[in-house]
């Protein structure tokens, strides 16, 4: 968005409230009241056909009567009047309007009507159906939010208006201030991406907080978020982790890749720090908003804990899980230094227990020692209050020690946990000034450290984005021929033979498989394959073959294979009477032996495009639910990181006398699917299940591919590198 | 403990501080200062050889000079002086002393010395090395805690003194008061169980909160906790979830059954509500302290959510996981009732979104409707503040609606979430008076509901404790003969043949297995078994046979089995040169087919005695880490509940065309191990891994049994029914 829009929203010199009112308790009155109560210094126009005399405002009967176009318009008229008001504002030369009015829907046409009214004039819209806009540096509260936020460095962009007052309240308690708060409403025009761009460019904004229910324009959002995240922390809470019901999908990958998980995956790629609750949103802001200059720079996850209460140290350790740090091993030199500074009863390890009566000198000595240790990446300093010592003194000593360390070039982040609300309130401001974020309980402090780690990882990802493998132009051409055939026949589901040929074209090894049109033909097909055999039904109507008795394994010879095909035909005739039988896929049976069954897949997300999946496969895939998602394009390192997030990766790594499985083969398969996703937009869904994996290699035993019948499938989301 | 001790601790008429001081900042001075500042109305004796003149206290030079025995003595003298002081206090007729002094250890003998000094007089001791005792109803703060707690219904028993001040601070912020706070210190005499007994009998105590680092006297603790939990909620936070390192154990079951998990399992059996953080400790207290009269009675987990903010409702739903409720399905009648009371734009389902501008009437109508719905067990009512309405009005209306429903006999619990600290502070007291616990964020509110569910389940367990199967006297005798043989040979590890025979005696079916003393003998042994064969090393020194190449599977005939035994002998000679080879176990090889591999085991816990385990088995058991624990004795229902907590139980239940496995067989195996645990104290550890399970039955393919060589093994913990 252009700079005029940024300044119109965050630093307007004049505001007009269209539909402003003096009727007690109406939205028009509450908004005007909030603007006046907030102390906005600019001109406030109140536009209402009825003459009004509200001190501090200038009444105007209609938009056309305004003496000059206001920098910002707030629209609170009834829905039906909104398009007319927008047209008049546009004609008057207004650049930005915030529509609070509800009831402008696609169904009643009013949503489109306001867009149509605004477009000829280049008028940009926030809303409709939002709570409004708050720009604390301009002392502007153009909303019906309750409470007045402090001015500060946080930008809040929320898809829920109702949450805003609560968030302002929490932030105020934590002494956190805002550069701007925008309730985006229905996002008819200005959306999350626009506002991320705006706050990324705003020099007063230190961090961007997002409450998201659903992203629109996925590629645009990703570009905006990636650009912003290179400049300042972008922290998001995504609602809908517990979807009432899944989407209608035909593939395992689609069924397993829920919208929340795909958003999480996209956020990770974009360098966004994702949190799981409203409380975490602010905790993350508290540890991240200062940036490296103030809060230090994390280089790893090794945490030293300095505490005057053993129990508090243990509880912090208890709260540490994957992604929230590992306990640092202190060097022998550090231990020696600590032993000389601390009483004999100290813990002689990490957590460093200074004993309950620890005065400030002990804290300083311990901080000096652990901050200097090369095996320590960050420090959590804890205080359990006692009547013996003043928590203020301890806080001052800790702040001084950290500032002194910064002066010596030690930029390791330090976070604090002062137990109890009073203790925290006393010490918080002292520590905050030294760039030390404060928490009131061991578990929240460790979650706070987790946000620091997440931000560190996000920054690392942005500085080294995965690149796709080199495109090989011969692959798509071979695959496109297969797809053309299926399309010509109006089939969106490739049969098993075609699906395996497509994989073959992308270098994924598949088990030899041939098609027999009838049970009788099975015998001839077996002649070209090594026994034992597996026989599976091939029918455009049958997606999950096992469920209808359409698979028979372990057939020792051709005769048994023929009989199995006959039995399958009989069962399918009963179970799916309408199914057209293309034939029977006959393949060499690969004994499971000690092999692992893995699933690798590709499915479309309506917002972010194709999504890759890897996890534990086999028939029980949806019962086991052990998988990880990733967005294409990805390289080997990103594919390996995806695999590492699954439980089955621990088995694949080998254990006891079991050798490691061919992990490189799984990675190569994921890279092949990434190539298919980027090079063949016709492929909508693809499941390889199972991918048989042992120490010697990988082999796709079964595959399902769904293609688009659209002659020109929408071009894919291409993620910015 | 006898009532005099209860009243001495919680309502003493006089207190003597042995080592009380006026030296600024000393423990002796801070404790006296706290007692005086708290407003204690009784007599305060200050015992110090040096004459002291502290207003509000009576100075006495030595204990023998006390005019009468004080009800309570607080000992703050240096460690070395403590045994003498205790002896004098006992001689003077004091019944209870709280020792704050640190440094009385087993190593320096002072811990035993104070016990020896107290015992002849029947003097009971709290501590040493504690923070002290607070009895707010007596306005007594005999501690060096910071801050003064409110008087109320919570008892806090803490193994960490350092945490107490923080906990008092939190509770005060939440307007929660205490009946008593005891820092138990090193628990030389009075321990957790004693204090649980005390507060269970205290009529002022509504709920007992425990911070536990480690339980002593497991059986005694269980009895006290079970008895207390029948009377009032017992809520525990156990530290040490993240152990730095495991204990040295020889069995899989032992390695997998960590101390934290065993405590959790014992707490569950005892009816204790376990929480995972300090914050949760108070959140649980807030939802549980009122009891059913005030807070309603939960009958199930189905939650209705009533909110004026859609986003807040979604975030509450997002926070719901296993154990924190399920979303209630509202009846058609309820939906109709809501539709007639709410504006057209309401959510038409659960969560019930009243829309942001909802006045109190909408809240009342919605509460009336959902509280009357038979498909609803509890209600979460949420308020997102806006400038349009006063949160106080909403709170009053909600409280009135709930009180009115109680009057109609509807006892369903209601919890509240008013977003933001200010909003929460305004509404909290109004709702609290109506028995509605208040939370400030959707995720904490749902965790609060989870505590209510946990308490409901704990109460259900206490009212129907698992009974052991009927003992069968023939079983132990057969097994004891085997054990006697091994003991006679000084072997604590039964060999595979013996282990299977023991299982056989308890009705667990095992794969036919015979012992060949040498590779040559293998051939003769094979003659009595059906091929194919498995051959395994039998040696007292070799526990994990696969790790040393001691297992060969899938041997088609006797000759192959002989060769395999020779190869094993060669490998073992290299890998374990000192191992004594008892021989080779030869068994019919059972093809894995579609069978599941399960582990069932028994291991000793130093505190709680034998622990049972079930989970995913096989060679990868310690990599997969999917298991659940239980304490014997257990019946079929308890065994089934244990199994249901594992991930593998979802596979065992059957899926797609896979039939359910023989779950009854696994349950029977767990019951057999429970019988072994209760009837054969000689058996210390037992692993069945794998237990082969398919649709047709279960069979133990391998078993390891470790027995005690102690001629009279300690009798087992017998859990009270």
């Amino acid at each position: 968005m252009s700079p005029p829009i940024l300044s119109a929203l965050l630093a307007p010199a004049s505001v007009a409230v269209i539909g402003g009112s003096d009727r007690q308790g109406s939205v028009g009155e509450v908004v005007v009241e909030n603007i006046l109560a907030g102390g906005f210094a600019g001109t406030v126009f109140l536009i209402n056909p009825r003459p009004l005399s509200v001190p501090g405002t200038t009444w105007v009967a209609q938009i056309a009567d305004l003496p000059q176009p206001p920098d910002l318009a707030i629209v609170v008229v009834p829905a039906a009047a909104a398009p007319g008001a927008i047209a008049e504002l546009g004609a008057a030369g207004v650049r930005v309007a915030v529509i609070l009015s509800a009831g402008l829907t696609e169904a009643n046409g009013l949503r489109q009507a306001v867009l149509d009214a605004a477009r000829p004039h280049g008028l940009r819209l926030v809303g409709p159906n939002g709570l409004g806009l708050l720009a604390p540096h301009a002392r502007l509260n153009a909303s019906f939010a309750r409470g007045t936020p402090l001015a500060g460095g946080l930008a809040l962009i929320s898809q829920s208006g109702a949450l805003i007052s609560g968030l302002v309240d929490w932030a105020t308690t934590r002494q956190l201030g805002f550069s701007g708060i925008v309730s985006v409403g229905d996002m008819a025009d200005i959306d999350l991406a626009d506002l991320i761009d705006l706050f990324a460019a705003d020099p007063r904004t230190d961090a961007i907080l997002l409450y998201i229910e659903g992203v629109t324009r996925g590629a645009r959002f990703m570009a905006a978020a990636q650009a912003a995240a290179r400049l300042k922390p972008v922290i998001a809470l995504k609602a809908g982790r517990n979807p009432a019901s899944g989407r209608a999908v035909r593939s395992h990958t689609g069924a397993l890749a829920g919208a929340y998980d795909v958003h999480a995956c996209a956020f990770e790629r974009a360098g966004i720090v994702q949190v799981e609750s409203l409380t975490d949103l602010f905790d993350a802001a508290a540890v991240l908003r200062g940036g490296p200059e103030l809060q230090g720079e994390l280089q790893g996850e090794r945490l030293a804990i300095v505490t005057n209460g053993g129990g508090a140290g243990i509880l912090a350790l208890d709260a540490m899980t994957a992604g929230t740090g590992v306990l640092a091993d202190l060097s022998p030199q550090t231990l020696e230094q600590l032993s000389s500074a601390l009483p004999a009863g100290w813990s002689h390890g990490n957590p460093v227990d200074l004993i309950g009566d620890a005065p400030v000198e002990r804290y300083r000595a311990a901080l000096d020692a652990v901050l200097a240790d090369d095996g320590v990446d960050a420090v959590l300093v804890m205080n359990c209050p006692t009547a013996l010592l003043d928590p203020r003194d301890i806080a001052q000593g800790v702040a001084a020690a950290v500032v002194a360390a910064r002066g010596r070039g030690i930029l390791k982040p330090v976070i604090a946990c002062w137990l109890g609300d009073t203790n925290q309130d006393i010490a918080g401001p002292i520590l905050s000034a030294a760039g030390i974020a404060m928490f009131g309980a061991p578990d929240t402090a460790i979650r706070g450290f987790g946000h620091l780690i997440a931000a560190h990882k996000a920054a690392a990802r942005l500085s080294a984005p995965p690149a796709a493998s080199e495109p090989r132009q011969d692959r798509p051409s071979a695959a496109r021929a297969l797809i053309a055939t299926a399309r010509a026949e109006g089939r969106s589901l490739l049969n098993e033979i075609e699906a395996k040929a497509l994989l073959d074209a992308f270098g994924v090894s598949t088990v030899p498989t041939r098609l027999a049109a009838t049970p009788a033909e099975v015998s001839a097909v077996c002649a070209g394959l090594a026994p034992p055999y597996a026989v599976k039904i091939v029918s455009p109507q049958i997606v999950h073959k096992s469920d209808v008795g359409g698979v028979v394994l372990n057939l020792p010879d051709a005769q048994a294979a023929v009989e199995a095909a006959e039995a399958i035909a009989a069962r399918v005739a009963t179970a799916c009477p309408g199914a057209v039988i293309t034939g029977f896929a006959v393949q060499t049976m690969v004994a499971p032996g000690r092999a692992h069954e893995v699933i690798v897949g590709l499915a479309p997300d309506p917002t972010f495009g194709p999504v890759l999946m890897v996890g534990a496969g086999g028939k029980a895939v949806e019962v086991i639910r052990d998988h990880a998602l990733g967005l294409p394009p990805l390289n080997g390192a990103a594919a390996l990181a995806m695999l590492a997030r699954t439980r089955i990766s621990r088995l694949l790594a080998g254990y006891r006398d079991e050798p490691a499985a061919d992990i490189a083969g799984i990675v190569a398969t994921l890279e092949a699917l990434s190539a298919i996703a980027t090079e063949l937009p016709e492929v909508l869904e693809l499941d390889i299940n199972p991918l048989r994996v042992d120490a010697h290699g990988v082999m796709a035993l079964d595959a399902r591919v769904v293609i688009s019948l659209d002659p020109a499938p929408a071009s894919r989301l291409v993620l910015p590198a």
Side-chain angles (χ1 to χ4, degrees), chain A residues 210-226:
Chain A
L210 300 165
Y211 168 79
I212 297 179
E213 296 190 345
V215 167
T216 48
R217 298 194 297 160
R220 173 80 181 80
F221 174 87
M222 293 296 284
Q226 287 192 354

Side-chain angles (χ1 to χ4, degrees), chain A residues 549 552 562-572:
Chain A
V552 183
V562 170
E563 286 164 14
E566 286 163 351
I568 287 173
R571 280 195 295 271
V572 165

Side-chain angles (χ1 to χ4, degrees), chain A residues 394-465:
Chain A
I394 308 290
Q396 279 160 351
V398 166
V402 171
V403 168
R406 295 271 185 278
R408 293 195 300 275
I410 297 176
L411 298 181
K412 298 172 185 177
V414 178
I415 54 181
C417 173
W418 257 231
L419 266 76
D421 298 318
T422 311
N423 199 25
Q424 193 185 350
D425 290 346
I426 292 170
I430 299 167
L431 294 170
S432 178
I436 302 168
M438 168 63 97
F439 296 90
D443 56 314
T444 53
I446 291 297
R447 288 179 73 88
F449 184 50
H451 302 316
L452 211 54
I453 292 171
H456 168 65
K457 287 185 178 166
R461 274 192 301 274
L462 285 179
S463 65

Side-chain angles (χ1 to χ4, degrees), chain A residues 489-501:
Chain A
E489 296 172 15
R491 288 186 287 119
S492 63
L493 187 67
L494 298 192
N495 71 38
E496 188 169 339
I497 311 292
E498 293 165 333
K500 286 179 176 168

Side-chain angles (χ1 to χ4, degrees), chain A residues 321-506:
Chain A
T321 55
T324 57
V326 296
L327 203 63
D329 278 328
L330 301 179
S331 73
Q333 193 192 336
T334 303
L335 292 172
E336 203 175 299
Q337 199 179 336
L338 288 166
S339 288
S340 71
L342 302 177
W346 85 281
S347 57
H348 290 87
N350 186 15
V352 178
D353 184 354
L354 307 174
I355 320 290
D357 62 352
V360 65
E361 293 73 26
R362 256 183 246 167
Y363 274 95
R364 289 197 67 146
L367 278 170
D368 286 348
V370 299
L371 280 169
D373 190 321
D374 286 340
V376 171
D377 297 310
V379 180
L380 168 63
V381 55
M382 311 182 80
N383 178 255
C384 298
T386 69
L388 303 174
L389 287 154
D390 187 336
R392 197 182 324 264
D393 295 345
I394 308 290
Q396 279 160 351
V398 166
V402 171
V403 168
R406 295 271 185 278
R408 293 195 300 275
I410 297 176
L411 298 181
K412 298 172 185 177
V414 178
I415 54 181
C417 173
W418 257 231
L419 266 76
D421 298 318
T422 311
N423 199 25
Q424 193 185 350
D425 290 346
I426 292 170
I430 299 167
L431 294 170
S432 178
I436 302 168
M438 168 63 97
F439 296 90
D443 56 314
T444 53
I446 291 297
R447 288 179 73 88
F449 184 50
H451 302 316
L452 211 54
I453 292 171
H456 168 65
K457 287 185 178 166
R461 274 192 301 274
L462 285 179
S463 65
S469 328
E470 189 78 6
R472 281 174 39 188
Q473 291 306 325
D474 54 325
R475 290 171 173 179
S477 62
R480 281 202 185 100
L482 293 164
I483 292 170
T485 306
R487 287 178 156 202
E489 296 172 15
R491 288 186 287 119
S492 63
L493 187 67
L494 298 192
N495 71 38
E496 188 169 339
I497 311 292
E498 293 165 333
K500 286 179 176 168
L502 184 144
L503 289 175
D504 207 49
F506 279 80

Side-chain angles (χ1 to χ4, degrees), chain A residues 484-686:
Chain A
T485 306
R487 287 178 156 202
E489 296 172 15
R491 288 186 287 119
S492 63
L493 187 67
L494 298 192
N495 71 38
E496 188 169 339
I497 311 292
E498 293 165 333
K500 286 179 176 168
L502 184 144
L503 289 175
D504 207 49
F506 279 80
V508 177
S509 85
T510 59
V511 64
T513 307
R514 305 220 181 140
L515 183 70
T518 63
E521 269 187 29
V522 165
S523 181
V525 163
C526 284
L529 296 169
Y533 305 109
V535 177
K536 306 183 215 172
I537 190 73
V538 177
S539 161
Q541 286 79 33
I542 299 173
V543 178
H544 294 304
K545 299 180 283 275
S546 292
D547 292 348
V548 293
V551 179
V552 183
L553 307 176
N554 278 321
L555 300 161
D557 53 37
Q559 181 52 33
V562 170
E563 286 164 14
E566 286 163 351
I568 287 173
R571 280 195 295 271
V572 165
T574 310
C576 309
V580 176
I581 309 299
T582 309
F584 302 86
V586 182
Q587 66 182 57
T588 296
M589 177 75 199
V590 181
R594 303 297 301 180
H596 303 276
E597 291 191 325
V598 167
I599 183 171
V600 182
L602 172 68
D605 179 79
T607 306
F608 295 103
V611 178
L612 299 167
M613 188 184 81
V614 66
K619 272 170 63 176
V621 58
E622 292 181 38
V623 183
I624 296 176
R625 296 193 75 86
D626 170 28
H627 55 267
L629 304 181
L631 294 185
L634 47 71
N635 59 10
L640 197 60
M642 250 178 90
L643 183 60
R645 290 202 300 270
T646 63
R647 296 194 301 272
I648 198 176
S649 66
R650 288 178 279 165
L651 290 174
L652 295 169
Y655 55 92
R656 302 185 65 186
D657 62 341
E658 288 293 328
D662 178 20
I663 287 169
I666 303 173
V667 165
T669 308
L670 270 169
E671 288 182 281
L673 263 61
S674 171
I676 291 172
T678 47
E679 297 170 35
L680 279 186
E682 300 91 338
V683 175
L684 293 180
E685 299 179 32
L686 193 160

Side-chain angles (χ1 to χ4, degrees), chain A residues 238-262:
Chain A
K238 168 75 177 74
R241 186 164 73 238
N242 188 353
S245 60
R247 283 170 285 155
V249 281
R250 289 177 295 176
S251 69
H252 288 298
T253 303
L256 295 171
Y260 181 86
D261 295 333
V262 175

